[in-house]
Amino acid sequence: MLKIENLKAEIDGKMILKGVSLEVKKGELHAIMGPNGSGKSTLAAVLAGREFAEVKSGRVTYQGNDLLEMSPEDRSRKGIFLGFQYPIEIPGVSMVNFMKTAVNEHRKYRGLAPITASDFLKMMREKKELVELDSALTSRAVNEGFSGGEKKRNEIFQMAMLEPTLAILDETDSGLDIDALRVVANGVNKLKGPENATIVITHYQRLLDYIVPDFVHVLYDGRIVKSAGKELALELESKGYDWIKNEIDGE
Amino acid sequence: MESKVNRSAEINERFVDLFQTSRGRIERNSSKLINSFRSSAMDRFRELGVPGKKNEAYRYTNLEPWFGSNYKSFFVPEPEDFGAAEDFRCEVETLDTHTLILLNGYFPTSNGGIIELPDGVKVGSLARASEIFPEIVESHYGKYAVDGTDGLIPLNTALASDGIYVYVPAGITCSKPIQIINLVEATEDIMVHHRNLIVVEEQASVDLIVCDHALSPRKFLTNAVTEVYVGPSARFDILRVQNEHNSAGKITHTFIHQERDSIAGSNNITLHGGLVRNSTYHRLNGEGAEANAYGLYLADKWQHVDNFVNIDHAVPNCTSKQLFKGVLDDFATGAFNGRIYVSQDAQNTRAYQSNNSILLTDDAHMDTKPQLEIYADDVKCSHGATVGQLDEEALFYLRSRGISAVEARLMLMFGFAHEVIASIKTAALRDRIDNLVLQRLRGELSRCATCMINCDNK
Ligand SMILES: Nc1ncnc2c1ncn2[C@@H]1O[C@H](COP(=O)(O)OP(=O)(O)O)[C@@H](O)[C@H]1O
Ligand SMILES: [Mg+2]
């Protein structure tokens, strides 16, 4: 589904991704872990089409197409979803209008008529229940005045509304209490199916108590320095990131 | 420099001549009371002239190309002109208003000039009203439109024959908004001066909607003055929607005089216009009064929109709020000058001001200037101005959900503008304005579309 080959990208002339390669197949769940500043969010941003990082070399193919050639909106319409580490507040734009526009843009792309008002309300209600999102929040402006946890839930809510093929969740778990964590994990697990794939970016192994990854990768200093099964997360938890740092930097 | 001085002197001289040669016609279509103000107003205009760039309040707006042009002055309305204007009226749909049409500054007098609405509310021609209800008009006319430096106000007093009169008696809440459709239509370039007087007596309440239209593709210049008296504990809202073409110049001066415990709101929504200058004055003249001055300006091409606000805290315990927002595209320019004056006695004053603009291009330009003159000590006052671009991160967030770049920009602009629209209290009206602004931002707003306030089928 997604194939990243030797991806290098820089921000303001500084190389941040120094040759990342990763393949994600249908039905798989990948976890990317790593210390702060190692480039996890940059990788997620490049995959979603954010232009602040400049791709210098490498290829990314998604469902056989060159992903890097696509606009952010086309990536979304083709099924890529990025859960933001820091969701943006947009005053004056209502959640309802935002979601209705997004859903209809996706439908238009698939040649479908705009969703009816009653179907849309029903869909909103179902998805809100799924992520246990306070009903009052969707009558407000996008993320405006939401607490940290509410913002993260809202990301999962949007994911549930758009039903992506490939979800990339950037530290959706950080700053959440156990309840919220369970909700996020639940959302991810519900989405999981044989035709979908998920990449969860996380700093802690905590989330992985609820979500069982098929693969765990460690991104450090712009490179994937270790890849293994779910046991790697436990090893990281007990030995800490210094273990990786020492191993790599010591070489 | 020399030629510049000569040019403005020449323009001023032309207005003096115009007054002298047209005075007979101006006065025939007006009333004795209004005519009695003309001579001294013309003297005052001679002293002040058309404001130039040296006038601090007009620093960012060059009036010369507009006032230096040749116009026919529309001094005599013909009955058949009103016939055409009446056609403009259409079925009131969801928005239920009392609708009045003012054509080139005149109110049709064929029906007597005054319309009686329920509960003693009266609307119609100011010239007629000053003959039928001289004591009311006399106690308010010319009392509030006072600005020590703006020559356009005495110019209006000297040249305006008529305009709208609205009277809401004490204790009456006018259940429907009163909508004034200001049409300018002519086969030649014309200049229009009209003068409105709104009297909202003690504990009365009314909403006024003013729609400015230019119907024919000629060069127009309007210089309009509106005086509003808001009595003790009365409530008044004026919403002005301006949708004129690029050859239309619109200058409005609105003076709102507020007595104790009154609440008055002004909202200027500028969707289109070659030159737009709105001067809005709130004088807080009685304790406990509250003034809300709002504005939204959307401009593109070479349009210029200038909002001047003057809040005069004359007495203690009053509150004022100013909120002006705008989006400027292409080469459009905007100006905001918000003055807050707190007199020495006006303790416990709260005065807030905010002006935010978005520039969509490098060529668009905004000048914003707060002007605070505070002579009391116990004052809570804040002001803030921002000029920026659309938020790139927000844009990406929307696009990352599948929303096209064009639509995402639109949503952000609309979201930005919405704060001003949200202040409109009547839900039906708010929805209409939301729609108009959205159409305007989409570039789908036709010349006529403002009438959507009044109808959907034109
Ligand atoms: N907008 C930006 N401008 C400049 N540098 C940035 C920006 N975003 C991230 N970086 C830098 O890129 C590196 C990787 O950051 P990031 O991808 O956020 O790491 P992670 O998500 O793994 O914590 C860091 O050194 C960070 O300082
Ligand atoms: Mg990060």
Side-chain angles (χ1 to χ4, degrees):
Chain A
M1 177 184 287
L2 180 77
K3 194 168 183 193
I4 305 171
E5 294 165 89
N6 201 23
L7 182 68
K8 293 185 183 167
E10 59 178 45
I11 300 175
D12 298 337
K14 186 174 156 232
M15 198 64 92
I16 305 292
L17 300 180
K18 301 177 178 172
V20 174
S21 297
L22 178 69
E23 184 164 4
V24 178
K25 298 206 175 76
K26 282 200 285 194
E28 291 179 350
L29 200 153
H30 291 244
I32 297 178
M33 303 182 73
N36 279 330
S38 57
K40 303 184 297 294
S41 291
T42 305
L43 175 63
V46 167
L47 294 178
R50 179 95 216 257
E51 274 159 8
F52 73 105
E54 192 188 340
V55 175
K56 300 307 275 186
S57 66
R59 283 160 53 92
V60 182
T61 25
Y62 171 68
Q63 294 175 332
N65 300 309
D66 182 354
L67 184 73
L68 301 178
E69 285 293 303
M70 295 180 205
S71 66
E73 52 268 37
D74 271 343
R75 298 180 199 203
S76 168
R77 294 162 187 168
K78 285 184 168 40
I80 291 184
F81 179 89
L82 171 64
F84 284 61
Q85 181 173 4
Y86 304 108
I88 313 293
E89 297 194 14
I90 313 183
V93 176
S94 75
M95 271 304 297
V96 171
N97 189 26
F98 170 46
M99 275 294 100
K100 193 183 252 168
T101 310
V103 166
N104 281 333
E105 292 257 17
H106 278 246
R107 290 176 64 90
K108 190 164 87 190
Y109 186 77
R110 298 202 303 270
L112 299 173
I115 190 166
T116 65
S118 67
D119 284 352
F120 179 72
L121 285 178
K122 193 162 149 253
M123 184 176 176
M124 287 273 283
R125 205 177 320 114
E126 278 171 18
K127 307 298 184 183
K128 268 191 290 201
E129 274 169 25
L130 180 74
V131 302
E132 296 169 36
L133 188 74
D134 186 344
S135 240
L137 293 183
T138 52
S139 58
R140 301 232 296 254
V142 178
N143 291 322
E144 195 184 34
F146 287 28
S147 71
E150 285 166 346
K151 283 180 183 166
K152 295 299 176 80
R153 264 180 217 231
N154 192 17
E155 294 296 292
I156 299 299
F157 167 69
Q158 293 169 41
M159 178 180 83
M161 289 291 287
L162 298 174
E163 298 177 329
T165 311
L166 173 65
I168 304 158
L169 302 177
D170 189 2
E171 302 216 24
T172 306
D173 56 326
S174 53
L176 294 186
D177 58 26
I178 288 295
D179 275 350
L181 198 66
R182 188 183 42 72
V183 166
V184 167
N186 195 22
V188 172
N189 290 330
K190 284 243 166 69
L191 177 78
K192 219 182 148 198
E195 296 302 318
N196 298 322
T198 309
I199 300 172
V200 293
I201 294 171
T202 177
H203 189 70
Y204 308 101
Q205 99 92 27
R206 211 167 55 131
L207 177 68
L208 304 179
D209 290 341
Y210 301 89
I211 297 174
V212 183
D214 302 299
F215 302 93
V216 175
H217 311 276
V218 179
L219 187 71
Y220 175 60
D221 193 22
R223 286 187 189 88
I224 290 183
V225 294
K226 240 182 199 339
S227 291
K230 61 175 188 280
E231 66 286 353
L232 178 57
L234 291 168
E235 201 174 356
L236 273 175
E237 182 79 354
S238 63
K239 295 187 181 170
Y241 285 117
D242 282 346
W243 162 56
I244 297 284
K245 287 184 191 174
N246 290 336
E247 195 167 297
I248 304 302
D249 297 342
E251 270 173 11
Chain B
M1 199 59 217
E2 186 67 13
S3 67
K4 202 109 189 113
V5 170
N6 287 342
R7 176 79 179 131
S8 64
E10 180 201 319
I11 290 171
N12 293 337
E13 210 40 55
R14 269 174 32 196
F15 281 102
V16 174
D17 289 347
L18 176 72
F19 176 67
Q20 276 156 0
T21 54
S22 314
R23 187 165 183 170
R25 283 189 296 163
I26 296 168
E27 297 199 335
R28 263 199 303 286
N29 289 288
S30 194
S31 74
K32 211 171 137 209
L33 173 69
I34 298 174
N35 290 342
S36 72
F37 283 76
R38 296 190 198 282
S39 292
S40 59
M42 206 59 216
D43 290 344
R44 190 78 186 119
F45 173 74
R46 272 204 195 89
E47 288 165 32
L48 296 171
V50 172
K53 294 233 170 173
K54 280 204 210 100
N55 185 326
E56 207 37 41
Y58 282 87
R59 214 170 117 188
Y60 304 112
T61 294
N62 184 10
L63 295 177
E64 214 176 84
W66 293 90
F67 280 83
S69 218
N70 282 314
Y71 303 95
K72 179 182 173 238
S73 279
F74 190 83
F75 289 134
V76 192
E78 304 293 339
E80 56 270 27
D81 293 329
F82 285 112
E86 285 290 310
D87 285 347
F88 196 78
R89 190 194 293 267
C90 41
E91 288 307 307
V92 173
E93 299 209 348
T94 58
L95 194 70
D96 200 6
T97 63
H98 297 296
T99 307
L100 309 173
I101 288 175
L102 203 59
L103 175 67
N104 299 342
Y106 288 88
F107 188 78
T109 43
S110 52
N111 50 16
I114 295 290
I115 299 167
E116 310 233 354
L117 299 176
D119 300 320
V121 175
K122 294 183 182 68
V123 297
S125 145
L126 175 62
R128 283 295 291 143
S130 66
E131 284 164 348
I132 309 173
F133 319 106
E135 46 322 307
I136 297 174
V137 176
E138 200 168 346
S139 58
H140 298 290
Y141 185 86
K143 296 280 191 296
Y144 316 121
V146 180
D147 180 302
T149 68
D150 191 341
L152 298 184
I153 292 151
L155 184 66
N156 175 280
T157 306
L159 296 179
S161 289
D162 199 5
I164 291 283
Y165 171 72
V166 172
Y167 171 73
V168 187
I172 296 302
T173 294
C174 197
S175 55
K176 292 184 195 178
I178 294 169
Q179 183 183 16
I180 300 167
I181 302 181
N182 261 330
L183 300 179
V184 263
E185 183 174 36
T187 50
E188 291 161 276
D189 293 357
I190 62 162
M191 180 168 61
V192 172
H193 282 83
H194 61 92
R195 179 69 166 247
N196 306 316
L197 176 66
I198 321 292
V199 177
V200 190
E201 289 191 335
E202 184 158 1
Q203 289 191 8
S205 171
V206 68
D207 288 293
L208 206 66
I209 305 163
V210 181
C211 304
D212 289 338
H213 293 275
L215 287 189
S216 36
R218 304 298 310 196
K219 186 163 181 175
F220 293 123
L221 178 63
T222 304
N223 177 37
V225 172
T226 302
E227 291 181 282
V228 185
Y229 169 81
V230 188
S233 301
R235 198 198 59 80
F236 170 74
D237 265 303
I238 181 167
L239 172 71
R240 195 190 303 275
V241 182
Q242 299 175 311
N243 185 26
E244 299 193 325
H245 55 63
N246 292 344
S247 307
K250 187 103 210 173
I251 298 165
T252 74
H253 316 263
T254 307
F255 292 86
I256 304 174
H257 177 93
Q258 298 185 233
E259 292 296 356
R260 127 187 99 69
D261 296 323
S262 64
I263 302 177
S266 54
N267 198 341
N268 289 311
I269 307 236
T270 306
L271 302 172
H272 250 295
L275 166 78
V276 175
R277 156 73 182 218
N278 296 312
S279 303
T280 308
Y281 302 74
H282 286 257
R283 181 179 163 92
L284 296 158
N285 201 57
E287 292 194 30
E290 178 187 323
N292 298 302
Y294 293 91
L296 175 66
Y297 41 95
L298 308 173
D300 58 13
K301 312 266 169 34
W302 294 93
Q303 298 173 350
H304 178 75
V305 183
D306 177 355
N307 277 290
F308 172 86
V309 181
N310 187 81
I311 310 278
D312 183 358
H313 281 267
V315 296
N317 302 315
C318 292
T319 304
S320 67
K321 185 179 168 194
Q322 301 172 48
L323 174 67
F324 282 77
K325 293 184 116 178
V327 181
L328 304 175
D329 201 353
D330 302 331
F331 301 92
T333 49
F336 174 77
N337 184 345
R339 184 165 177 262
I340 298 172
Y341 180 92
V342 181
S343 77
Q344 202 174 341
D345 301 331
Q347 299 300 350
N348 192 28
T349 284
R350 289 160 304 259
Y352 310 103
Q353 178 188 102
S354 153
N355 174 225
N356 313 106
S357 305
I358 287 180
L359 306 180
L360 297 180
T361 66
D362 289 342
D363 296 313
H365 184 79
M366 179 74 198
D367 286 300
T368 175
K369 192 171 71 128
Q371 206 182 324
L372 310 180
E373 288 175 51
I374 298 174
Y375 300 104
D377 347 293
D378 180 15
V379 173
K380 261 204 203 94
C381 185
S382 72
H383 63 93
T386 61
V387 179
Q389 282 84 42
L390 285 179
D391 181 350
E392 283 298 324
E393 290 196 29
L395 207 53
F396 177 70
Y397 192 72
L398 296 176
R399 292 178 71 190
S400 79
R401 301 308 185 233
I403 298 170
S404 69
V406 170
E407 192 66 26
R409 288 167 71 84
L410 202 73
M411 286 174 82
L412 290 185
M413 287 190 270
F414 183 69
F416 173 79
H418 187 74
E419 190 185 356
V420 173
I421 305 168
S423 70
I424 300 169
K425 284 173 220 80
T426 318
L429 184 58
R430 194 169 55 236
D431 292 348
R432 289 288 167 117
I433 302 295
D434 261 348
N435 250 319
L436 281 175
V437 168
L438 202 56
Q439 280 188 61
R440 169 66 175 91
L441 292 171
R442 279 188 201 282
E444 292 168 357
L445 189 62
S446 66
R447 194 181 65 199
C448 229
T450 310
C451 310
M452 281 195 33
I453 286 177
N454 198 35
C455 75
D456 281 322
N457 51 19
K458 259 216 150 164

